[in-house]
């Protein structure tokens, strides 16, 4: 019987990491995740996997490590000997990167360099997925963007991702490492962090509908994004590393929607008038807002056969309904 493939995921406790772990476990992988040592042992997004005795300790393994600690990362690589590495970890909030630009650059740019160097030194061949971002295009001169669109990042996060993306290409070309950049556009889910606007909207709408909140404060609601579902996008990550040749791919729906459209769709789920509850707050606006970020996924559809499955209305509904369930569960616990 062939030995199971070994995958190493940085950021396994995040939105994408949790969906990817589920996908790889279903495909028979042994999944290893790098986690930070914290006082909070509950890692909610993967707790259902960690609590499964048939998985944890047999096909799911967690290793304490930090992206800034090259020594520990090398030990993890030596122990796991991964066939595939999925580098998803790092500060990923664009707005927050304006407030903490140095730590964002360290986590996003330098951590990727560190992992690529470790991968270059491995004696066994491995395949490396780097989570790039549509934010590398920033103030793009063309729309939709393709893999050939010039990089014009408009935030510290975008700059750090552009560095890491170009570095991945250099290591692929210079050292022959099988490394792919997945240039993912915005992807959401019920597992999205609450500091992201989509989850902020979904959570507020659920609480407003149950009388727990009275308003939703937002910045620029005319900002447009290409929103897909994280569950669909992790499938694209896996497909990239199964292809014979490494390359870079845009993963997107090709459909831009505004924050305002997300708001209206969310309130429609609970049948409430958004106008009554949404208030503008300039404090939530970014210093520099990227424009016309919408991606063409023609290449990945043509080469790998991937396409998004979840529609925008279904995504919004799933997020709001998950928050409604969370509110109901909280009420039940209180009573």
């Amino acid at each position: 019987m062939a030995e199971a493939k070994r995958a190493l995921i940085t950021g396994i406790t995040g939105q994408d990491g949790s969906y990817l772990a589920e996908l790889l476990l279903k495909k028979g992988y042994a999944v290893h995740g790098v986690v930070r040592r914290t006082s909070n042992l509950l890692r909610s997004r993967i707790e259902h996997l960690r609590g499964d005795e048939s998985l944890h300790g047999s096909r799911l393994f967690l290793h304490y490590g930090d992206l800034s600690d090259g020594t520990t990362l090398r030990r993890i690589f030596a122990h796991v000997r991964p066939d595939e590495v999925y580098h998803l970890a790092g500060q990923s909030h664009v707005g927050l990167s304006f407030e903490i630009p140095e730590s964002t650059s360290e986590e996003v740019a330098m951590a990727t360099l560190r992992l690529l160097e470790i991968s270059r030194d491995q004696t066994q061949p491995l395949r490396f997925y780097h989570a790039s971002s549509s934010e590398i295009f920033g103030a793009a001169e063309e729309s939709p963007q393709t893999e050939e669109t010039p990089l014009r990042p408009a935030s510290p996060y975008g700059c750090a991702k552009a560095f890491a993306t170009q570095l991945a290409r250099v290591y692929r070309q210079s050292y022959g490492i099988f490394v792919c950049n997945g240039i993912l556009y915005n992807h959401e889910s019920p597992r999205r962090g609450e500091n992201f606007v989509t989850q902020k909207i979904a959570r507020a709408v659920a609480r407003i509908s149950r009388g727990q909140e009275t308003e939703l404060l937002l910045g620029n609601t005319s900002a447009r994004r290409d929103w897909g579902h994280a569950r669909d996008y992790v499938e694209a990550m896996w497909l990239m590393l199964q292809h014979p040749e490494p390359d870079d791919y845009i993963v997107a729906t090709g459909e831009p929607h505004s924050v305002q459209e997300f708001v209206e769709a969310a309130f429609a789920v609970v049948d409430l008038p958004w106008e009554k509850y949404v208030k503008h707050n300039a404090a939530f606006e970014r210093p520099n807002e990227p424009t016309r970020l919408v991606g063409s996924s023609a290449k990945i559809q043509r080469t790998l056969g991937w396409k998004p499955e979840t529609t925008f209305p279904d995504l919004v509904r799933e997020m709001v309904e998950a928050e409604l369930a969370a509110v109901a569960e909280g009420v039940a616990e209180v009573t």
Side-chain angles (χ1 to χ4, degrees):
M1 186 175 181
E3 185 182 0
K5 276 188 178 181
R6 296 178 299 275
L8 179 63
I9 304 173
T10 70
I12 193 172
T13 59
Q15 170 188 252
D16 293 6
S18 63
Y19 281 114
L20 179 61
E22 289 174 347
L23 175 70
L24 296 179
L25 287 168
K26 285 179 182 177
K27 292 183 179 295
Y29 281 65
V31 175
H32 296 257
V34 179
V35 296
R36 287 179 174 175
R37 185 180 290 277
T38 66
S39 58
N40 179 16
L41 296 177
L42 183 65
R43 301 180 177 95
S44 60
R45 295 186 184 94
I46 60 167
E47 195 61 24
H48 62 296
L49 301 176
R50 204 168 72 99
D52 187 336
E53 294 181 359
S54 69
L55 293 175
H56 191 228
S58 60
R59 289 205 296 124
L60 174 67
F61 308 88
L62 301 179
H63 307 268
Y64 287 119
D66 193 283
L67 294 180
S68 64
D69 185 351
T71 300
T72 301
L73 291 174
R74 284 186 179 275
R75 287 177 183 152
I76 292 171
F77 269 71
H79 174 72
V80 175
R81 293 179 295 111
D83 300 297
E84 297 174 4
V85 175
Y86 295 87
H87 176 35
L88 313 181
Q91 197 295 103
S92 60
H93 193 281
V94 178
L96 190 58
S97 75
F98 284 97
E99 299 178 33
I100 52 170
E102 287 187 40
S103 60
T104 296
S105 297
E106 170 62 34
E107 288 185 30
V108 173
M110 294 307 297
T112 304
L113 171 59
R114 203 166 285 122
L115 288 167
L116 286 169
E117 271 294 292
I118 294 172
S119 297
R120 182 163 76 96
D121 291 341
Q122 299 306 298
T123 55
Q124 78 281 1
L126 59 76
R127 298 189 171 199
F128 190 106
Y129 170 84
H130 169 242
S132 184
S133 166
S134 60
E135 294 291 332
I136 65 175
F137 298 126
E141 292 183 337
E142 60 183 16
S143 187
Q145 292 85 49
T146 72
E147 290 80 4
E148 305 304 319
T149 298
L151 310 191
R152 295 186 62 191
S155 67
Y157 172 77
C159 289
K161 277 294 184 187
F163 172 91
T165 301
Q166 295 286 52
L167 199 66
R169 291 171 177 168
V170 168
Y171 273 64
R172 182 171 66 216
Q173 294 160 3
S174 301
Y175 302 119
I177 298 176
F178 191 111
V179 55
C180 298
N181 283 308
I183 306 171
L184 273 58
Y185 281 64
N186 292 61
H187 45 292
E188 317 298 318
S189 76
R191 300 179 189 177
R192 189 48 132 167
E194 61 186 67
N195 57 339
F196 288 81
V197 69
T198 49
Q199 188 69 300
K200 177 181 177 180
I201 293 168
R203 183 161 297 183
V205 167
R207 292 180 177 179
I208 287 170
S209 74
R210 297 299 182 258
Q212 296 184 1
E213 291 184 9
T214 58
E215 63 181 13
L216 169 58
L217 299 176
L218 294 171
N220 177 18
T221 59
S222 66
R224 299 176 70 81
R225 291 292 184 275
D226 183 332
W227 275 305
H229 198 299
R231 186 175 50 234
D232 295 341
Y233 285 28
V234 298
E235 178 84 24
M237 300 176 189
W238 177 76
L239 285 170
M240 290 179 207
L241 297 197
Q242 311 317 305
H243 195 63
E245 298 296 328
D247 207 343
D248 301 336
Y249 299 93
I250 281 178
V251 182
T253 69
E255 297 180 4
H257 294 277
S258 66
V259 175
Q260 180 64 35
E261 288 176 73
F262 199 102
V263 166
E264 293 177 15
F267 274 98
V269 173
V270 295
D271 197 26
L272 287 175
W274 66 269
E275 300 93 339
K276 183 178 177 181
Y277 303 100
V278 177
K279 305 287 191 300
H280 177 259
N281 186 332
F284 294 122
E285 295 188 8
R286 294 180 188 171
N288 193 4
E289 183 67 53
T291 57
R292 301 191 303 161
L293 279 183
V294 55
S296 168
S297 59
K299 179 178 176 179
I300 192 171
Q301 292 193 39
R302 180 179 66 251
T303 308
L304 306 182
W306 178 88
K307 64 179 181 179
E309 299 292 339
T310 310
T311 66
F312 178 74
D314 286 345
L315 168 64
V316 178
R317 176 171 292 278
E318 184 179 337
M319 292 181 70
V320 173
E321 288 180 346
E323 288 303 314
L324 287 169
V327 169
E329 185 178 324
V331 171
E333 288 176 358
V334 170
T335 55

